[in-house]
Amino acid sequence: MQIKILCTRWGHENIPIEAFFEKVKSAGYDGIDSWLPENKNDRKVFIKRSRELGLPIVVQQHQAEGQDIQSFCKSFEYHLDAAMECNPVIINSHSGRDFFSMDEQLAVIDTAENFSARNNIVIAHETHRGRMGFSPANAGELFKQRPSMKVTADLSHWVCVTESYLEGFKETVDEAIRRTIHIHARVGFPEGPQIPDPRLPEWAEPLNYFTGLWSRIIREKEAEGTSLLTITTEFGPPPYMWTTPPGNIPVTSQWDVNLFMMHLLRDIITPQQ
């Protein structure tokens, strides 16, 4: 099984695209996790340099909107189509909204499934607050009704939403792992979606919990015969990153934390290969 560790563009928007790609490549990442730039020239540079440097893309869809479910699904399909321009490995989708009815959520999944079949692309619905995958309880119902639904496992959100390490949701976590095709490797804790620094010993408990989850996903995907698993180091900038007053100064470097996570993930992966 191939495992590729990707660098998030989130938090590095101020760095020119070419410089960012060179930095990612030099740091030892295997690819990029990003939305496509809206500016046409920037988009051309993004696509050109990713190909030249051999950096595969997991592309984000987070822009869909609409006043009703019909207009939302139309917008959703438009942005999925736009995401295909960079020939992504998969599309990672911030799908729907947490206040959508069950029928509306299923309509979003069906739109994704139909698009996936027509375009030979896999779409992963991220387990993210504010979206359809915001909680294990809601996701569990979607899993029952849509057996082919795939997910991006960002379980830091579930830990935060349920204020637990998911002890009460074993079956749903098991099913989410079975459906996982992409991981967002960020460490949350019961009171928030991101710990301040995984290198600090006082945060060993959540770090150990999440490295255990990721190890299990890797192990199970390998046993299933999965050909490719992508993982993004996704510690984010403020306000995900903790800050100190005055001035809301970040408590540490987002880049350094994610680089630490990349090396930690390589250590987890190596025994599996």
Tab-separated table of all heavy atoms in Angstrom, residues 180-229:
chain	number	residue	atom	x	y	z
A	180	THR	N	-12.792	5.240	5.517
A	180	THR	CA	-11.763	6.275	5.390
A	180	THR	C	-10.885	6.045	4.172
A	180	THR	O	-10.352	4.953	3.968
A	180	THR	CB	-10.893	6.324	6.654
A	180	THR	OG1	-11.678	6.770	7.758
A	180	THR	CG2	-9.707	7.264	6.476
A	181	ILE	N	-10.709	7.107	3.379
A	181	ILE	CA	-9.746	7.054	2.279
A	181	ILE	C	-8.701	8.160	2.404
A	181	ILE	O	-7.734	8.192	1.651
A	181	ILE	CB	-10.446	7.141	0.912
A	181	ILE	CG1	-11.238	8.442	0.766
A	181	ILE	CG2	-11.340	5.926	0.684
A	181	ILE	CD1	-11.771	8.674	-0.634
A	182	HIS	N	-8.914	9.069	3.358
A	182	HIS	CA	-7.989	10.194	3.567
A	182	HIS	C	-8.055	10.558	5.048
A	182	HIS	O	-9.109	10.408	5.679
A	182	HIS	CB	-8.412	11.371	2.681
A	182	HIS	CG	-7.531	12.580	2.768
A	182	HIS	ND1	-6.164	12.526	2.662
A	182	HIS	CD2	-7.846	13.906	2.923
A	182	HIS	CE1	-5.669	13.752	2.749
A	182	HIS	NE2	-6.658	14.601	2.918
A	183	ILE	N	-6.928	10.975	5.597
A	183	ILE	CA	-6.851	11.348	7.011
A	183	ILE	C	-6.375	12.790	7.123
A	183	ILE	O	-5.411	13.197	6.451
A	183	ILE	CB	-5.870	10.440	7.781
A	183	ILE	CG1	-6.331	8.985	7.757
A	183	ILE	CG2	-5.704	10.921	9.229
A	183	ILE	CD1	-5.285	8.011	8.310
A	184	HIS	N	-7.031	13.553	7.990
A	184	HIS	CA	-6.500	14.836	8.424
A	184	HIS	C	-5.912	14.630	9.814
A	184	HIS	O	-6.644	14.445	10.786
A	184	HIS	CB	-7.598	15.911	8.436
A	184	HIS	CG	-7.795	16.550	7.103
A	184	HIS	ND1	-8.752	17.507	6.863
A	184	HIS	CD2	-7.121	16.392	5.925
A	184	HIS	CE1	-8.667	17.895	5.587
A	184	HIS	NE2	-7.697	17.234	5.011
A	185	ALA	N	-4.592	14.642	9.867
A	185	ALA	CA	-3.869	14.286	11.093
A	185	ALA	C	-3.685	15.516	11.975
A	185	ALA	O	-2.617	16.117	12.030
A	185	ALA	CB	-2.533	13.642	10.753
A	186	ARG	N	-4.758	15.859	12.653
A	186	ARG	CA	-4.710	16.914	13.663
A	186	ARG	C	-5.188	16.307	14.972
A	186	ARG	O	-6.115	15.504	14.996
A	186	ARG	CB	-5.609	18.095	13.286
A	186	ARG	CG	-5.465	19.272	14.269
A	186	ARG	CD	-6.286	20.495	13.878
A	186	ARG	NE	-7.701	20.189	13.766
A	186	ARG	CZ	-8.347	20.121	12.613
A	186	ARG	NH1	-7.729	20.302	11.461
A	186	ARG	NH2	-9.633	19.840	12.595
A	187	VAL	N	-4.556	16.691	16.056
A	187	VAL	CA	-4.875	16.153	17.374
A	187	VAL	C	-5.810	17.116	18.095
A	187	VAL	O	-5.451	18.253	18.374
A	187	VAL	CB	-3.594	15.928	18.206
A	187	VAL	CG1	-3.942	15.434	19.607
A	187	VAL	CG2	-2.666	14.940	17.498
A	188	GLY	N	-7.017	16.631	18.399
A	188	GLY	CA	-7.950	17.395	19.206
A	188	GLY	C	-8.017	16.857	20.618
A	188	GLY	O	-7.308	15.909	20.975
A	189	PHE	N	-8.875	17.442	21.420
A	189	PHE	CA	-9.096	16.959	22.783
A	189	PHE	C	-10.548	17.286	23.122
A	189	PHE	O	-11.222	17.984	22.351
A	189	PHE	CB	-8.090	17.577	23.764
A	189	PHE	CG	-8.249	19.058	23.997
A	189	PHE	CD1	-8.628	19.551	25.245
A	189	PHE	CD2	-7.987	19.985	22.986
A	189	PHE	CE1	-8.754	20.922	25.475
A	189	PHE	CE2	-8.111	21.352	23.204
A	189	PHE	CZ	-8.503	21.820	24.453
A	190	PRO	N	-11.089	16.771	24.214
A	190	PRO	CA	-12.530	16.917	24.446
A	190	PRO	C	-13.050	18.341	24.533
A	190	PRO	O	-14.260	18.543	24.434
A	190	PRO	CB	-12.744	16.148	25.754
A	190	PRO	CG	-11.699	15.081	25.729
A	190	PRO	CD	-10.499	15.760	25.134
A	191	GLU	N	-12.201	19.322	24.698
A	191	GLU	CA	-12.668	20.716	24.762
A	191	GLU	C	-12.240	21.547	23.562
A	191	GLU	O	-12.411	22.772	23.567
A	191	GLU	CB	-12.173	21.366	26.057
A	191	GLU	CG	-12.615	20.665	27.327
A	191	GLU	CD	-14.131	20.527	27.453
A	191	GLU	OE1	-14.856	21.408	26.943
A	191	GLU	OE2	-14.592	19.528	28.030
A	192	GLY	N	-11.702	20.930	22.539
A	192	GLY	CA	-11.295	21.710	21.377
A	192	GLY	C	-10.778	20.838	20.251
A	192	GLY	O	-10.363	19.696	20.471
A	193	PRO	N	-10.737	21.371	19.025
A	193	PRO	CA	-10.316	20.593	17.863
A	193	PRO	C	-8.807	20.547	17.638
A	193	PRO	O	-8.348	19.873	16.727
A	193	PRO	CB	-11.000	21.315	16.700
A	193	PRO	CG	-11.006	22.752	17.134
A	193	PRO	CD	-11.246	22.711	18.628
A	194	GLN	N	-8.020	21.258	18.475
A	194	GLN	CA	-6.577	21.272	18.263
A	194	GLN	C	-5.845	21.569	19.560
A	194	GLN	O	-6.076	22.610	20.177
A	194	GLN	CB	-6.219	22.321	17.200
A	194	GLN	CG	-4.724	22.408	16.879
A	194	GLN	CD	-4.447	23.279	15.664
A	194	GLN	OE1	-4.964	23.038	14.573
A	194	GLN	NE2	-3.628	24.306	15.838
A	195	ILE	N	-4.966	20.658	19.938
A	195	ILE	CA	-4.112	20.928	21.090
A	195	ILE	C	-3.059	21.957	20.679
A	195	ILE	O	-2.766	22.132	19.495
A	195	ILE	CB	-3.451	19.643	21.626
A	195	ILE	CG1	-2.518	19.018	20.577
A	195	ILE	CG2	-4.514	18.646	22.083
A	195	ILE	CD1	-1.706	17.829	21.101
A	196	PRO	N	-2.458	22.672	21.634
A	196	PRO	CA	-1.530	23.746	21.252
A	196	PRO	C	-0.230	23.260	20.634
A	196	PRO	O	0.300	23.905	19.725
A	196	PRO	CB	-1.281	24.490	22.570
A	196	PRO	CG	-1.656	23.540	23.642
A	196	PRO	CD	-2.745	22.676	23.088
A	197	ASP	N	0.311	22.127	21.132
A	197	ASP	CA	1.596	21.664	20.612
A	197	ASP	C	1.761	20.186	20.960
A	197	ASP	O	1.883	19.835	22.140
A	197	ASP	CB	2.741	22.480	21.222
A	197	ASP	CG	4.081	22.258	20.512
A	197	ASP	OD1	4.276	21.159	19.956
A	197	ASP	OD2	4.927	23.167	20.534
A	198	PRO	N	1.766	19.297	19.972
A	198	PRO	CA	1.872	17.857	20.249
A	198	PRO	C	3.230	17.428	20.790
A	198	PRO	O	3.394	16.288	21.246
A	198	PRO	CB	1.597	17.219	18.886
A	198	PRO	CG	2.053	18.247	17.905
A	198	PRO	CD	1.705	19.568	18.529
A	199	ARG	N	4.193	18.329	20.781
A	199	ARG	CA	5.533	18.000	21.289
A	199	ARG	C	5.629	18.142	22.800
A	199	ARG	O	6.603	17.695	23.407
A	199	ARG	CB	6.565	18.905	20.611
A	199	ARG	CG	6.640	18.729	19.098
A	199	ARG	CD	7.435	19.815	18.415
A	199	ARG	NE	6.788	21.119	18.544
A	199	ARG	CZ	7.205	22.231	17.956
A	199	ARG	NH1	8.283	22.192	17.175
A	199	ARG	NH2	6.569	23.376	18.126
A	200	LEU	N	4.620	18.778	23.410
A	200	LEU	CA	4.655	19.012	24.859
A	200	LEU	C	4.145	17.789	25.619
A	200	LEU	O	3.110	17.222	25.271
A	200	LEU	CB	3.793	20.233	25.210
A	200	LEU	CG	4.232	21.566	24.601
A	200	LEU	CD1	3.226	22.656	24.950
A	200	LEU	CD2	5.628	21.938	25.076
A	201	PRO	N	4.847	17.388	26.697
A	201	PRO	CA	4.467	16.165	27.407
A	201	PRO	C	3.082	16.224	28.034
A	201	PRO	O	2.435	15.186	28.194
A	201	PRO	CB	5.564	16.016	28.471
A	201	PRO	CG	6.187	17.377	28.610
A	201	PRO	CD	6.078	17.999	27.264
A	202	GLU	N	2.601	17.420	28.377
A	202	GLU	CA	1.278	17.513	29.004
A	202	GLU	C	0.141	17.178	28.040
A	202	GLU	O	-1.011	17.007	28.462
A	202	GLU	CB	1.059	18.898	29.608
A	202	GLU	CG	1.244	20.052	28.663
A	202	GLU	CD	2.636	20.662	28.749
A	202	GLU	OE1	3.622	19.897	28.860
A	202	GLU	OE2	2.740	21.905	28.713
A	203	TRP	N	0.457	17.068	26.741
A	203	TRP	CA	-0.568	16.705	25.754
A	203	TRP	C	-0.363	15.290	25.217
A	203	TRP	O	-0.867	14.946	24.143
A	203	TRP	CB	-0.577	17.721	24.618
A	203	TRP	CG	-1.008	19.077	25.095
A	203	TRP	CD1	-0.214	20.147	25.380
A	203	TRP	CD2	-2.350	19.483	25.394
A	203	TRP	NE1	-0.968	21.209	25.819
A	203	TRP	CE2	-2.287	20.832	25.832
A	203	TRP	CE3	-3.593	18.857	25.324
A	203	TRP	CZ2	-3.422	21.548	26.207
A	203	TRP	CZ3	-4.725	19.568	25.680
A	203	TRP	CH2	-4.635	20.893	26.121
A	204	ALA	N	0.338	14.474	25.998
A	204	ALA	CA	0.626	13.098	25.555
A	204	ALA	C	-0.644	12.259	25.422
A	204	ALA	O	-0.742	11.408	24.530
A	204	ALA	CB	1.599	12.429	26.518
A	205	GLU	N	-1.630	12.485	26.306
A	205	GLU	CA	-2.840	11.643	26.256
A	205	GLU	C	-3.576	11.776	24.921
A	205	GLU	O	-3.825	10.760	24.244
A	205	GLU	CB	-3.780	11.978	27.411
A	205	GLU	CG	-5.060	11.131	27.395
A	205	GLU	CD	-6.060	11.533	28.466
A	205	GLU	OE1	-6.018	12.691	28.934
A	205	GLU	OE2	-6.894	10.682	28.828
A	206	PRO	N	-3.951	12.985	24.479
A	206	PRO	CA	-4.616	13.063	23.174
A	206	PRO	C	-3.720	12.655	22.014
A	206	PRO	O	-4.191	12.045	21.045
A	206	PRO	CB	-5.046	14.532	23.066
A	206	PRO	CG	-4.232	15.262	24.064
A	206	PRO	CD	-3.936	14.296	25.156
A	207	LEU	N	-2.421	12.955	22.094
A	207	LEU	CA	-1.516	12.541	21.020
A	207	LEU	C	-1.501	11.021	20.894
A	207	LEU	O	-1.602	10.473	19.783
A	207	LEU	CB	-0.105	13.066	21.270
A	207	LEU	CG	0.942	12.662	20.218
A	207	LEU	CD1	0.594	13.240	18.841
A	207	LEU	CD2	2.343	13.102	20.659
A	208	ASN	N	-1.407	10.341	22.026
A	208	ASN	CA	-1.380	8.875	21.992
A	208	ASN	C	-2.700	8.316	21.474
A	208	ASN	O	-2.723	7.310	20.748
A	208	ASN	CB	-1.071	8.315	23.382
A	208	ASN	CG	0.356	8.578	23.811
A	208	ASN	OD1	1.238	8.796	22.965
A	208	ASN	ND2	0.609	8.574	25.102
A	209	TYR	N	-3.806	8.963	21.851
A	209	TYR	CA	-5.110	8.503	21.367
A	209	TYR	C	-5.176	8.595	19.843
A	209	TYR	O	-5.578	7.633	19.163
A	209	TYR	CB	-6.233	9.339	21.985
A	209	TYR	CG	-7.588	9.044	21.385
A	209	TYR	CD1	-8.301	7.897	21.722
A	209	TYR	CD2	-8.159	9.910	20.446
A	209	TYR	CE1	-9.533	7.621	21.144
A	209	TYR	CE2	-9.389	9.638	19.868
A	209	TYR	CZ	-10.066	8.498	20.225
A	209	TYR	OH	-11.282	8.210	19.645
A	210	PHE	N	-4.770	9.731	19.287
A	210	PHE	CA	-4.888	9.914	17.847
A	210	PHE	C	-3.858	9.102	17.069
A	210	PHE	O	-4.182	8.567	15.998
A	210	PHE	CB	-4.814	11.396	17.486
A	210	PHE	CG	-6.137	12.089	17.623
A	210	PHE	CD1	-6.492	12.712	18.810
A	210	PHE	CD2	-7.048	12.087	16.587
A	210	PHE	CE1	-7.729	13.323	18.961
A	210	PHE	CE2	-8.290	12.697	16.720
A	210	PHE	CZ	-8.631	13.313	17.905
A	211	THR	N	-2.647	8.975	17.570
A	211	THR	CA	-1.684	8.127	16.861
A	211	THR	C	-2.152	6.675	16.864
A	211	THR	O	-1.925	5.941	15.897
A	211	THR	CB	-0.276	8.240	17.460
A	211	THR	OG1	-0.313	7.976	18.875
A	211	THR	CG2	0.317	9.616	17.218
A	212	GLY	N	-2.852	6.273	17.922
A	212	GLY	CA	-3.442	4.938	17.951
A	212	GLY	C	-4.512	4.770	16.888
A	212	GLY	O	-4.577	3.741	16.203
A	213	LEU	N	-5.367	5.784	16.741
A	213	LEU	CA	-6.402	5.742	15.694
A	213	LEU	C	-5.770	5.674	14.304
A	213	LEU	O	-6.186	4.863	13.464
A	213	LEU	CB	-7.274	6.991	15.771
A	213	LEU	CG	-8.484	6.995	16.694
A	213	LEU	CD1	-9.158	8.364	16.638
A	213	LEU	CD2	-9.492	5.911	16.316
A	214	TRP	N	-4.789	6.521	14.050
A	214	TRP	CA	-4.175	6.543	12.721
A	214	TRP	C	-3.444	5.232	12.428
A	214	TRP	O	-3.508	4.739	11.301
A	214	TRP	CB	-3.227	7.727	12.605
A	214	TRP	CG	-3.892	9.048	12.853
A	214	TRP	CD1	-5.204	9.394	12.597
A	214	TRP	CD2	-3.297	10.211	13.421
A	214	TRP	NE1	-5.449	10.685	12.970
A	214	TRP	CE2	-4.298	11.217	13.483
A	214	TRP	CE3	-2.010	10.518	13.894
A	214	TRP	CZ2	-4.044	12.499	13.989
A	214	TRP	CZ3	-1.755	11.780	14.394
A	214	TRP	CH2	-2.767	12.756	14.432
A	215	SER	N	-2.782	4.669	13.435
A	215	SER	CA	-2.114	3.382	13.256
A	215	SER	C	-3.130	2.304	12.895
A	215	SER	O	-2.886	1.458	12.025
A	215	SER	CB	-1.378	2.982	14.538
A	215	SER	OG	-0.338	3.873	14.832
A	216	ARG	N	-4.274	2.360	13.553
A	216	ARG	CA	-5.316	1.380	13.266
A	216	ARG	C	-5.852	1.544	11.848
A	216	ARG	O	-6.064	0.550	11.134
A	216	ARG	CB	-6.450	1.520	14.274
A	216	ARG	CG	-7.549	0.505	14.085
A	216	ARG	CD	-8.681	0.713	15.056
A	216	ARG	NE	-9.859	0.012	14.604
A	216	ARG	CZ	-11.095	0.232	15.039
A	216	ARG	NH1	-11.310	1.149	15.972
A	216	ARG	NH2	-12.111	-0.446	14.556
A	217	ILE	N	-6.085	2.779	11.416
A	217	ILE	CA	-6.558	3.006	10.052
A	217	ILE	C	-5.555	2.459	9.041
A	217	ILE	O	-5.918	1.745	8.097
A	217	ILE	CB	-6.805	4.506	9.800
A	217	ILE	CG1	-7.994	5.005	10.643
A	217	ILE	CG2	-7.084	4.764	8.316
A	217	ILE	CD1	-8.173	6.517	10.623
A	218	ILE	N	-4.282	2.772	9.243
A	218	ILE	CA	-3.236	2.289	8.340
A	218	ILE	C	-3.232	0.767	8.295
A	218	ILE	O	-3.196	0.153	7.220
A	218	ILE	CB	-1.861	2.834	8.767
A	218	ILE	CG1	-1.801	4.348	8.538
A	218	ILE	CG2	-0.738	2.131	7.999
A	218	ILE	CD1	-0.624	5.025	9.214
A	219	ARG	N	-3.283	0.151	9.455
A	219	ARG	CA	-3.263	-1.309	9.558
A	219	ARG	C	-4.459	-1.930	8.840
A	219	ARG	O	-4.336	-2.907	8.089
A	219	ARG	CB	-3.251	-1.696	11.034
A	219	ARG	CG	-2.876	-3.135	11.330
A	219	ARG	CD	-2.594	-3.312	12.818
A	219	ARG	NE	-3.755	-2.965	13.634
A	219	ARG	CZ	-3.807	-1.942	14.491
A	219	ARG	NH1	-2.757	-1.145	14.625
A	219	ARG	NH2	-4.891	-1.701	15.218
A	220	GLU	N	-5.645	-1.355	9.057
A	220	GLU	CA	-6.857	-1.917	8.461
A	220	GLU	C	-6.914	-1.670	6.959
A	220	GLU	O	-7.384	-2.526	6.201
A	220	GLU	CB	-8.098	-1.370	9.169
A	220	GLU	CG	-8.189	-1.839	10.617
A	220	GLU	CD	-9.552	-1.615	11.250
A	220	GLU	OE1	-10.530	-1.389	10.504
A	220	GLU	OE2	-9.635	-1.683	12.489
A	221	LYS	N	-6.447	-0.522	6.504
A	221	LYS	CA	-6.428	-0.255	5.062
A	221	LYS	C	-5.460	-1.217	4.361
A	221	LYS	O	-5.746	-1.698	3.254
A	221	LYS	CB	-6.012	1.189	4.776
A	221	LYS	CG	-6.967	2.250	5.274
A	221	LYS	CD	-8.303	2.200	4.571
A	221	LYS	CE	-9.430	1.905	5.533
A	221	LYS	NZ	-10.750	1.891	4.892
A	222	GLU	N	-4.355	-1.494	4.998
A	222	GLU	CA	-3.392	-2.433	4.426
A	222	GLU	C	-4.007	-3.824	4.331
A	222	GLU	O	-3.871	-4.506	3.311
A	222	GLU	CB	-2.123	-2.463	5.271
A	222	GLU	CG	-0.973	-3.227	4.636
A	222	GLU	CD	0.323	-3.029	5.400
A	222	GLU	OE1	0.300	-3.175	6.634
A	222	GLU	OE2	1.338	-2.737	4.765
A	223	ALA	N	-4.713	-4.227	5.382
A	223	ALA	CA	-5.361	-5.545	5.382
A	223	ALA	C	-6.453	-5.647	4.323
A	223	ALA	O	-6.692	-6.732	3.766
A	223	ALA	CB	-5.947	-5.832	6.767
A	224	GLU	N	-7.119	-4.534	4.034
A	224	GLU	CA	-8.176	-4.513	3.017
A	224	GLU	C	-7.617	-4.568	1.599
A	224	GLU	O	-8.365	-4.770	0.637
A	224	GLU	CB	-9.014	-3.237	3.156
A	224	GLU	CG	-9.879	-3.175	4.405
A	224	GLU	CD	-10.471	-1.787	4.614
A	224	GLU	OE1	-10.325	-0.931	3.705
A	224	GLU	OE2	-11.064	-1.546	5.677
A	225	GLY	N	-6.324	-4.318	1.453
A	225	GLY	CA	-5.728	-4.272	0.126
A	225	GLY	C	-5.849	-2.927	-0.552
A	225	GLY	O	-5.763	-2.827	-1.782
A	226	THR	N	-6.027	-1.870	0.257
A	226	THR	CA	-6.099	-0.515	-0.289
A	226	THR	C	-4.789	-0.177	-0.997
A	226	THR	O	-3.705	-0.465	-0.484
A	226	THR	CB	-6.362	0.496	0.848
A	226	THR	OG1	-7.608	0.171	1.467
A	226	THR	CG2	-6.406	1.912	0.320
A	227	SER	N	-4.887	0.437	-2.184
A	227	SER	CA	-3.676	0.726	-2.947
A	227	SER	C	-3.014	2.032	-2.523
A	227	SER	O	-1.788	2.169	-2.588
A	227	SER	CB	-3.993	0.783	-4.441
A	227	SER	OG	-4.964	1.768	-4.714
A	228	LEU	N	-3.828	3.020	-2.081
A	228	LEU	CA	-3.282	4.324	-1.711
A	228	LEU	C	-4.066	4.906	-0.547
A	228	LEU	O	-5.300	4.913	-0.549
A	228	LEU	CB	-3.372	5.296	-2.902
A	228	LEU	CG	-2.998	6.755	-2.626
A	228	LEU	CD1	-1.517	6.881	-2.289
A	228	LEU	CD2	-3.353	7.648	-3.816
A	229	LEU	N	-3.340	5.404	0.450
A	229	LEU	CA	-3.922	6.159	1.552
A	229	LEU	C	-3.169	7.475	1.659
A	229	LEU	O	-1.936	7.494	1.687
A	229	LEU	CB	-3.803	5.386	2.870
A	229	LEU	CG	-4.325	6.097	4.122
A	229	LEU	CD1	-5.845	6.265	4.054
A	229	LEU	CD2	-3.928	5.330	5.385
